[in-house]
């Protein structure tokens, strides 16, 4: 909703207006691209009058009679580039939207550039959008994608991290959370684990919220922007937890559809990229190997199958794809049957009555065609994704890993020794083996004895594992 309002020049879109939308250009940086792409498709952008969407730092031609909506982070180089656009008189008018709040000094830089370029009248609006978070589903968002190794578990727990780097990471996290609550229009009750990075975030966020509320006239949480936000007594609970409380779960091999897609395939911002296997047909000797086709699919909320089955165990998903396919085929056959009946010869009474009866049927068949095609597209998509996952499961024995780790984590008895699993050359990649062993190491009540550990280490080394994670976990434990 906030994005749509922004694309409509920060006026809420009117429902019943018949007029064409105003044609405009959207200019974003990589951050803006990541925020918009999971939420609005190209078609939806077009419906809102966006004819072109371009990256800020690409070479852009001047389009002098079109308004431009900018959606960027207020960084030095972005501001410089915007000032350059003003000097080059690229567009008719400029709507500047910042993903996070822009500082006073940077605003002055833009103002100076506008005066210098004689373009003050063309800068129509400058807005802080507070949208610095990426929404992937109705009830899930992530903080960043662009430089995600800068804000990560590893970044926070590096032994050589400096205080200033830590401050930067904390500020980034706090800024995103703050943006989220501004967009939500609610002030959370914050709870966190003490003495951890989570507490640092909590203290900073608390301070930022309080400072914003102190000045009632300028507060983001009062006034008309949020509807009835300020009268609501239901406050959400924000629980900040440090990853160190539970390190075994992210290492665990999973068994549900969405988690498997995320674990074994290349899955970013709701889009999965697949390499299509070209099948086993042998190419003639000396011929070039066939190039693998890359396909990408969007798995979004509008995909009913995904919504229904993303949390289901994988075997159920495979069955459901099969059922969908069968029901689709039945519908397709029905359409074909009607077509063959329509070529009726002879003008006898029966044929005439059948015709009128079938016209109704055919009409309904034709009207359900788009629906059928969409169904077919989704079945193909999930068949391909599920097949790709299945290849990984078979080649890496992921089902065995999953069951084995479940047993370790629930402390039940193991039916085969851990050493056998690690030494089995067919079971999984070195990374899979390392994950399994780390889960065992984290979950065991007392650490394995030195002699045992040496034995495991040797087996892991033979399997080609990098032992750095183990020394970290050992120290951590």
């Amino acid at each position: 909703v906030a994005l749509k309002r922004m694309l409509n020049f920060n006026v809420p879109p009117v429902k019943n207006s018949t007029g064409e939308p105003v044609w405009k250009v959207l200019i974003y940086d990589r951050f803006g691209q990541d925020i918009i792409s999971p939420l609005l498709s190209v078609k939806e952008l077009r419906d809102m009058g966006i004819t072109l969407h371009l990256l800020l730092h690409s070479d852009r031609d001047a389009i002098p009679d079109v308004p431009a909506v900018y959606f960027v982070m207020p960084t030095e180089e972005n501001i410089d580039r915007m000032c350059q656009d003003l000097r080059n008189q690229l567009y008719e008018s400029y709507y500047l939207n910042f993903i996070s709040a822009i500082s006073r000094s940077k605003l002055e830089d833009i103002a100076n550039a506008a005066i210098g370029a004689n373009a003050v009248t063309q800068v129509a609006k400058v807005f802080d959008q507070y949208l610095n978070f990426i929404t992937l589903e109705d009830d899930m968002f992530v903080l960043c994608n662009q430089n995600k190794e800068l804000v990560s578990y590893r970044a926070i727990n590096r032994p050589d991290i400096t205080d200033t780097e830590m401050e930067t990471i904390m500020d980034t996290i706090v800024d995103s959370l703050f943006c989220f609550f501004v967009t939500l229009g609610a002030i959370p009750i914050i709870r966190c684990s003490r003495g951890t990075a989570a507490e640092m975030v909590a203290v900073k966020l608390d301070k930022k919220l309080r400072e914003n509320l102190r000045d009632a006239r300028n507060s983001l949480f009062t006034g008309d922007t949020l509807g009835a936000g300020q009268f609501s007594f239901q406050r959400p609970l924000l629980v900040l937890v440090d990853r160190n409380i539970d390190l075994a779960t992210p290492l665990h091999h999973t068994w549900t559809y969405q988690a498997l897609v995320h674990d074994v395939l290349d899955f970013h911002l709701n889009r999965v990229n697949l390499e299509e296997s070209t099948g086993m047909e042998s190419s003639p000797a000396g011929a070039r190997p066939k190039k693998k086709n890359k396909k990408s699919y969007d798995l979004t909320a509008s995909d009913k199958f995904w919504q229904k089955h993303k949390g289901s165990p994988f075997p159920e998903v495979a069955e459901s794809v099969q059922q969908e396919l069968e029901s689709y085929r039945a519908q397709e056959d029905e359409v074909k049957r009607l077509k063959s009946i329509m070529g009726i010869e002879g003008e006898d009474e029966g044929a005439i009555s059948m015709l009128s009866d079938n016209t109704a049927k055919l009409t309904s068949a034709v009207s359900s065609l788009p629906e059928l095609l969409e169904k077919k597209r989704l079945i193909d998509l999930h068949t391909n994704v599920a097949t790709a996952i299945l290849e990984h499961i078979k080649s890496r024995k992921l089902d065995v890993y999953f069951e084995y780790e479940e047993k370790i984590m629930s402390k039940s008895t193991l039916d085969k020794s851990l050493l056998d699993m690690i030494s089995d050359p067919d079971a999984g990649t070195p990374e899979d083996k390392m994950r399994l062993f780390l889960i065992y190491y984290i979950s065991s009540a007392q650490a394995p004895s030195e002699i045992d550990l040496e034995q495991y280490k040797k087996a892991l080394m033979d399997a080609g594992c990098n032992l750095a994670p183990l020394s970290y976990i050992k120290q951590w434990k």
Side-chain angles (χ1 to χ4, degrees), residues 12 16 28-29 52 82 95 140 159-160 187 189 197 212 217 289 303 357 410 468:
N16 50 11
Y28 45 51
D29 60 357
L52 270 179
M82 288 160 85
Y95 292 81
M140 181 175 86
D160 57 347
I187 301 202
I189 295 164
N212 188 269
R217 283 173 322 199
D303 179 340
D357 187 28
S410 60

Side-chain angles (χ1 to χ4, degrees), residues 150-151 155-156 161 165-174:
L150 296 182
V151 181
I156 296 175
I161 187 167
E165 286 177 302
M166 192 66 161
E167 283 292 308
T168 314
I169 294 175
M170 294 298 132
D171 288 340
T172 311
I173 295 175
V174 168

Side-chain angles (χ1 to χ4, degrees), residues 27 36 81 105 110 155 159-160 163 168-169 172 197 212 224 241 273 277 326-327 344 361 372 426 457 475:
I27 313 286
I36 292 174
R81 187 62 197 255
S105 61
I110 296 180
D160 57 347
D163 285 355
T168 314
I169 294 175
T172 311
N212 188 269
D224 55 352
V241 188
N273 296 309
S277 51
E326 279 158 17
S327 81
I344 300 165
K361 276 193 185 166
L372 261 181
D426 298 330
K457 271 188 176 170
Q475 191 186 342

Side-chain angles (χ1 to χ4, degrees), residues 332-396:
E332 200 181 35
D333 291 344
E334 173 66 6
V335 174
K336 281 186 185 148
R337 198 179 62 79
L338 282 173
K339 277 185 183 160
S340 65
I341 295 176
M342 292 309 276
I344 300 165
E345 287 92 49
E347 291 295 310
D348 59 350
E349 283 303 290
I352 301 294
S353 65
M354 266 176 78
L355 252 178
S356 56
D357 187 28
N358 278 322
T359 315
K361 276 193 185 166
L362 192 72
T363 318
S364 80
V366 169
S367 62
S368 66
L369 266 179
E371 207 176 292
L372 261 181
L373 290 172
E374 177 61 9
K375 204 169 181 181
K376 174 88 169 78
R377 187 184 72 81
L378 290 182
I379 294 170
D380 289 347
L381 184 163
H382 289 286
T383 309
N384 289 345
V385 173
T387 313
I389 292 178
L390 194 61
E391 282 171 13
H392 279 276
I393 292 176
K394 281 182 183 159
S395 66
R396 288 162 55 182

